[in-house]
Amino acid sequence: MWKTLFTRLALVLGLVAGGAAQAQATTPDALIQKLSEEVIAAVKADPAIQAGDINKIIALVDGKVMPHVNFQKMTASAVGRHWRSATPEQRERLQAEFKTLLVRTYSGALSEVRDQNVVLRPFRAAPTDTDVVVQTEVRGRGDPIQLDYRLEKVGDTWKIYDVNVLGVWLVQQYRTSFNQEIAQVGIDGLIARLAERNKAAKS
């Protein structure tokens, strides 16, 4: 049970570590370290988030996270080759439902934040690299949780577009299930199923 909650927590941190003032950190590893610490502190200071207030969590994601995550790339990668044939409206709906799915799936883990901290592992990248992986560990009660970030440089800023927890990349995990569903019911069918799951989670 604890392992499952901790894994969810790691995924939440993977999503929320992309928010707030990336300009202060000039390297991707410094960015991840700073933002992870800030997010954990913010969650600990907000009883409503710890209690699982979904509106507060969505506000946090919309206000601080989404501007600093390449979520279109994340969604497109999760949908795979079918993204190219999707209409602009379908792409917009896929992004909206996918974001809601991720937020609602892992929001419960925020209430588990107590004494966790994030430790960076040695970072190796050339100054000219524009696509990197930053490896970290989330430490607290129980065994450390591997949490890696894949980032790309867009202009002068770094943006997260995938997260790895315990050796499993989030995008790859969803791509498998999304492709299976698209093969069965098409893109509109996938959107409808995501919407149904989100509606069920909300109720």
Side-chain angles (χ1 to χ4, degrees), residues 5-176:
L5 290 172
F6 217 134
T7 300
R8 289 181 179 177
L9 169 62
L11 281 168
V12 171
L13 293 176
L15 291 175
V16 299
Q22 77 276 15
Q24 282 84 354
T26 57
T27 62
D29 56 329
L31 171 65
I32 293 298
Q33 179 72 64
K34 177 180 175 62
L35 296 179
S36 297
E37 292 172 351
E38 290 180 351
V39 166
I40 290 177
V43 173
K44 289 180 179 179
D46 193 328
I49 291 180
Q50 292 185 33
D53 186 326
I54 192 64
N55 291 325
K56 277 268 193 156
I57 294 168
I58 291 176
L60 172 66
V61 172
D62 284 339
K64 290 189 175 183
V65 180
M66 299 314 297
H68 308 294
V69 175
N70 190 339
F71 199 72
Q72 177 174 314
K73 181 172 183 175
M74 182 180 288
T75 308
S77 297
V79 175
R81 60 185 175 84
H82 302 284
W83 182 260
R84 294 191 296 272
S85 60
T87 66
E89 181 184 3
Q90 288 174 324
R91 292 180 177 184
E92 183 176 346
R93 292 174 63 198
L94 281 167
Q95 288 185 74
E97 296 297 346
F98 188 35
K99 184 189 76 172
T100 302
L101 173 68
L102 292 177
V103 172
R104 291 192 178 278
T105 298
Y106 303 114
S107 61
L110 289 176
S111 63
E112 301 301 316
V113 174
R114 294 295 182 272
D115 59 353
Q116 289 77 16
N117 63 86
V118 176
V119 178
L120 259 67
R121 300 174 66 183
F123 177 65
R124 298 178 179 86
T128 56
D129 287 346
T130 57
D131 195 296
V132 301
V133 173
V134 176
Q135 298 178 313
T136 76
E137 286 185 348
V138 180
R139 297 179 181 176
R141 291 179 291 172
D143 297 332
I145 298 296
Q146 173 192 346
L147 176 57
D148 303 335
Y149 303 86
R150 185 166 280 151
L151 302 94
E152 66 173 354
K153 195 170 187 179
V154 180
D156 294 328
T157 63
W158 289 94
K159 294 197 175 186
I160 297 170
Y161 68 92
D162 204 354
V163 182
N164 183 323
V165 181
L166 296 174
V168 178
W169 288 101
L170 181 147
V171 166
Q172 182 179 8
Q173 183 180 24
Y174 277 102
R175 182 186 298 137
T176 300

